[in-house]
Amino acid sequence: MSGTVQREERKLLLFSGRSHPELAENVAAHLGTGLVPTKAVDFANGEIYVRYEESVRGADCFLLQSHTAPINKWIMEQLIMIDALKRASARSITVLVPFYGYARQDKKHLGREPISARLMADLLSSAGADRIVTVDLHTDQIVGFFDGPVDHLFALPVLADHVRGRVDADRLTVVSPDAGRVRVADHWCDRLHAPLAIVHKRRDPLVPNQATVHEVVGEVAGRVCVLVDDMIDTAGTICAAADALYAHGAERVIVAATHGILSGPALDRLKNSRVSEFVFTDTLPTPGEVELDKITVLSVAPLLAHAVREIFEHGSVAALVGDL
């Protein structure tokens, strides 16, 4: 029996949609590569056309698209880009979704509601995605919605190390803005060796983006409080929580969140808030009209680049979150 044995030459290609090209370029720089030239245009009726300007056949393809506003347009563009890769005979397709759209719709609260986070996973899978890489999902259960590998990365080390470098750890109290974030706040406490407090709130399920703060559980008087959350959307909840902390004697309040969505009245609320610093990552593009000195944006590009490298080289992505 005879035959020919040919050594496999693997190729990593990085692609970007149009929602957040700055982050994609930073990831490419950390990988020491460039973005594959891509033509993407909108037709007059809103339809999206995509074509890659070099071959992707047999390549391990990584496609970065963060679901920012207008969120439905960028989700559709990502699905079209995945389909184009699949039809062009890509070896594998990994989607990098720094901010996963519809993550807050992860379960049913009332009858006749969708579970849109699951629908998102089904859409990505049906389009041809083999793997998902994302950062700080709203709930861990979303990982199980996708029938394939999901690498759930965390921005906590990036955010916590920034806070630790600016405030004496002995003066810190980590604060969860509601009961649902207590587990995340616990990880912060472990990393910063700080005590935990909780802001108790009640939300009307029929009125979105509104919450009423009831009380603060824990010692915050005279402390520098770090309010931690996964995302800041309209900023109503987080600013109300900060006011409650000041009312209970907090010396200073810092807000740290992975995703700065900053919709609607958020910018005005941040500007008028007593919070001394808002710390976000660049999983989403910061609105161009933001000119507040108290907003700090940290990059997750090194984290994403490291994950891409580990996946391509069959390494361990779990090592990136092993110290949480």
Side-chain angles (χ1 to χ4, degrees):
M1 181 176 180
S2 64
T4 301
V5 177
Q6 183 175 354
R7 183 175 178 271
E8 180 184 21
E9 295 290 343
R10 297 180 61 223
K11 181 168 59 172
L12 185 159
L13 295 179
L14 182 64
F15 304 79
S16 173
R18 292 177 290 171
S19 72
H20 198 355
E22 297 84 4
L23 178 58
E25 289 167 1
N26 288 338
V27 172
H30 280 87
L31 288 170
T33 186
L35 297 173
V36 174
T38 303
K39 179 181 180 181
V41 296
D42 297 333
F43 291 139
N45 68 344
E47 293 179 3
I48 298 169
Y49 170 82
V50 171
R51 182 178 184 272
Y52 302 115
E53 297 183 343
E54 64 181 59
S55 175
V56 305
R57 183 179 298 273
D60 291 301
C61 299
F62 295 81
L63 167 59
L64 192 152
Q65 181 87 308
S66 201
H67 299 163
T68 186
I71 187 170
N72 296 320
K73 174 180 179 177
W74 299 135
I75 289 171
M76 191 64 198
E77 180 177 87
Q78 186 173 41
L79 296 173
I80 291 171
M81 294 180 77
I82 294 168
D83 186 73
L85 289 173
K86 180 178 68 174
R87 296 178 188 280
S89 301
R91 182 178 185 271
S92 67
I93 304 171
T94 298
V95 292
L96 308 176
V97 191
F99 177 72
Y100 184 99
Y102 291 90
R104 284 172 284 187
Q105 299 183 43
D106 62 304
K107 56 183 173 292
K108 293 180 68 172
H109 297 278
L110 301 171
R112 301 178 297 282
E113 285 185 338
I115 304 179
S116 303
R118 171 59 193 262
L119 175 62
M120 278 295 310
D122 290 343
L123 290 170
L124 292 170
S125 179
S126 296
D130 299 304
R131 189 182 197 113
I132 295 175
V133 178
T134 189
V135 182
D136 281 333
L137 289 168
H138 190 60
T139 56
D140 292 337
Q141 72 187 39
I142 296 173
V143 169
F145 292 168
F146 184 77
D147 293 329
V150 177
D151 297 304
H152 185 194
L153 307 179
F154 300 94
L156 187 156
V158 176
L159 295 165
D161 290 351
H162 171 82
V163 171
R164 182 164 49 191
R166 297 173 69 89
V167 182
D168 184 354
D170 293 337
R171 302 170 56 212
L172 281 174
T173 292
V174 175
V175 183
S176 172
D178 55 45
R181 297 288 102 191
V182 169
R183 185 178 177 186
V184 173
D186 275 337
H187 289 312
W188 276 78
C189 292
D190 292 340
R191 192 170 187 93
L192 296 177
H193 305 292
L196 173 68
I198 303 169
V199 176
H200 175 66
K201 71 176 183 183
R202 188 176 301 276
R203 186 185 294 275
D204 185 343
L206 301 179
V207 183
N209 298 319
Q210 289 188 22
T212 302
V213 173
H214 283 263
E215 59 182 300
V216 174
V217 180
E219 184 57 50
V220 300
R223 309 282 292 177
V224 177
C225 295
V226 184
L227 261 171
V228 299
D229 210 342
D230 62 321
M231 65 179 74
I232 305 298
D233 191 354
T234 60
T237 296
I238 210 73
C239 289
D243 289 341
L245 292 174
Y246 278 117
H248 283 75
E251 177 185 321
R252 185 152 58 100
V253 176
I254 298 171
V255 170
T258 303
H259 311 296
I261 304 174
L262 306 183
S263 305
L267 296 180
D268 287 335
R269 286 173 174 167
L270 265 58
K271 181 178 180 180
N272 297 321
S273 171
R274 296 174 62 190
V275 173
S276 62
E277 183 180 16
F278 292 91
V279 187
F280 304 118
T281 73
D282 60 351
T283 56
L284 292 168
T286 303
E289 60 269 30
V290 173
E291 296 181 357
L292 295 179
D293 292 337
K294 61 182 179 180
I295 293 181
T296 301
V297 179
L298 308 175
S299 182
V300 294
L303 177 66
L304 291 170
H306 193 171
V308 168
R309 183 65 67 188
E310 291 295 327
I311 292 168
F312 180 69
E313 296 177 353
H314 302 305
S316 174
V317 179
L320 296 177
V321 296
D323 60 344
L324 291 184

